[in-house]
Amino acid sequence: CKDSGTMAGEPWRDRLNALPLTEAVRGKALVLVISNQDMKAALADNNTTDGTLISAINALVEQAAAAAQPQPGAMGAQAGGAATGRQYNFELEKVEQQVQQLQQQIASLTVTATSEQDVGKTVLALRHVNPRMEGLVGELPDDVPQGLAEAVKSKFPMREALESAVQAALFQLLDELLQAADTPFHVHDTSEKGYLTNPMAKVDFTLTSGRQVLWSSVIGFYEVKANLSDSDKYKAAVGQLMTRAQVLFKQQPERAHMLGAVIGGDALEVFFIQRASNQTISSGKLDLSGADGATMLLRL
């Protein structure tokens, strides 16, 4: 946020208010963050996990509180009524030095693939697997054109392809499927441009109920990797999908669940994500070279 004096539409302030902090910590953090551009940037970045932010904010508040404690000599001088401006300036310099050190620590905090993998690992450990996803993903009608099934088979699997190639092939396929299905939904490649803002969310594919990419019109997200056989990439994709879903729930308070997927050149997994992370249901990984994977992609 460039203008710290603006109250409305400040992503960092919204994120701070949404974090599970005590009101005392939140109030102190607000005062400290207003003049801390690094912390603002971390709060405004949707890739920064809540856990990372909470740790950084607690450290910020604790260090500021510790630095503000008067030294024993200063306390004695105050008790005797002899506190001087020089002592005050000394204490202020110490506070400024420690805040500066903390700013450097915050600047070095980056959301890495490891943190996304950790989120994905937790989701995968807690999810309930339902390979058919009965009642959660629509069934195919009996008169599905053969051309749709052939469209899937002609493009997948792509086991040795780069992520960009998988994404391009998937976008073309999704566009063909949506046109053939004659739905009011739209698919957008939002990995690099045209992505969601306020708050910002870069997602490989965003499905919307309108032509504009707005939080109010989002239906679901698809995260893409070169393949899902790579365990780290697989977990990271799941973590990214879950993180975006939680942001969506905040932007659409009435929303109870979201249907999304992680898709690679070799496989896909569909997720029915609810507000409580331990109630997530997924199809498990389905090989796109088999009938189950190809059919699930069509159903999705």
Side-chain angles (χ1 to χ4, degrees), residues 1-17 30-31 34 40 198:
C1 178
K2 294 182 179 179
D3 181 7
S4 61
T6 303
M7 292 294 292
E10 292 182 292
W12 69 266
R13 193 185 297 270
D14 294 339
R15 186 76 181 277
L16 178 61
N17 289 333
L30 179 61
V31 174
I34 283 177
K40 281 185 182 179
N198 297 322

Side-chain angles (χ1 to χ4, degrees), residues 22-67:
T22 65
E23 289 307 312
V25 170
R26 194 188 317 281
K28 293 174 183 176
L30 179 61
V31 174
L32 295 169
V33 173
I34 283 177
S35 59
N36 189 320
Q37 297 302 318
D38 291 325
M39 193 66 219
K40 281 185 182 179
L43 283 162
D45 186 352
N46 289 320
N47 289 322
T48 310
T49 64
D50 286 356
T52 298
L53 290 173
I54 291 170
S55 297
I57 287 170
N58 284 333
L60 180 67
V61 172
E62 289 171 5
Q63 288 201 23

Side-chain angles (χ1 to χ4, degrees), residues 1-243:
C1 178
K2 294 182 179 179
D3 181 7
S4 61
T6 303
M7 292 294 292
E10 292 182 292
W12 69 266
R13 193 185 297 270
D14 294 339
R15 186 76 181 277
L16 178 61
N17 289 333
L19 290 174
L21 302 168
T22 65
E23 289 307 312
V25 170
R26 194 188 317 281
K28 293 174 183 176
L30 179 61
V31 174
L32 295 169
V33 173
I34 283 177
S35 59
N36 189 320
Q37 297 302 318
D38 291 325
M39 193 66 219
K40 281 185 182 179
L43 283 162
D45 186 352
N46 289 320
N47 289 322
T48 310
T49 64
D50 286 356
T52 298
L53 290 173
I54 291 170
S55 297
I57 287 170
N58 284 333
L60 180 67
V61 172
E62 289 171 5
Q63 288 201 23
Q69 290 294 325
Q71 298 299 312
M75 292 179 65
Q78 290 171 358
T84 65
R86 180 178 298 176
Q87 178 67 30
Y88 173 80
N89 290 335
F90 173 73
E91 293 295 331
L92 183 59
E93 286 178 3
K94 287 180 60 181
V95 172
E96 291 175 344
Q97 289 173 359
Q98 294 193 358
V99 169
Q100 193 173 48
Q101 291 173 356
L102 188 58
Q103 286 176 334
Q104 293 172 351
Q105 293 175 18
I106 293 171
S108 67
L109 287 175
T110 56
V111 178
T112 64
T114 303
S115 64
E116 291 173 343
Q117 290 165 17
D118 288 343
V119 174
K121 182 179 179 180
T122 301
V123 172
L124 292 171
L126 295 175
R127 82 196 193 285
H128 307 281
V129 177
N130 177 356
R132 285 283 306 150
M133 298 292 280
E134 293 94 344
L136 303 176
V137 180
E139 298 292 342
L140 292 176
D142 295 332
D143 59 348
V144 173
Q146 183 62 28
L148 291 184
E150 293 301 326
V152 175
K153 293 179 181 178
S154 69
K155 294 180 173 63
F156 294 94
M158 301 172 63
R159 299 191 186 280
E160 304 299 327
L162 297 175
E163 183 175 319
S164 58
V166 174
Q167 189 160 333
L170 184 60
F171 181 76
Q172 183 181 357
L173 175 62
L174 291 172
D175 191 53
E176 291 176 9
L177 294 178
L178 286 174
Q179 289 183 32
D182 190 27
T183 76
F185 304 145
H186 300 269
V187 60
H188 310 267
D189 181 345
T190 51
S191 57
E192 296 296 336
K193 60 182 180 179
Y195 43 78
L196 291 157
T197 57
N198 297 322
M200 182 180 73
K202 292 184 178 180
V203 188
D204 289 320
F205 291 112
T206 302
L207 275 74
T208 65
S209 58
R211 293 187 178 278
Q212 291 184 295
V213 181
L214 304 171
W215 281 109
S216 59
S217 65
V218 171
I219 297 171
F221 301 122
Y222 300 159
E223 284 289 346
V224 179
K225 296 297 179 185
N227 61 72
L228 301 188
S229 58
D230 184 313
S231 178
D232 289 342
K233 291 181 179 177
Y234 170 47
K235 292 173 185 175
V238 174
Q240 289 165 355
L241 182 67
M242 176 58 73
T243 300

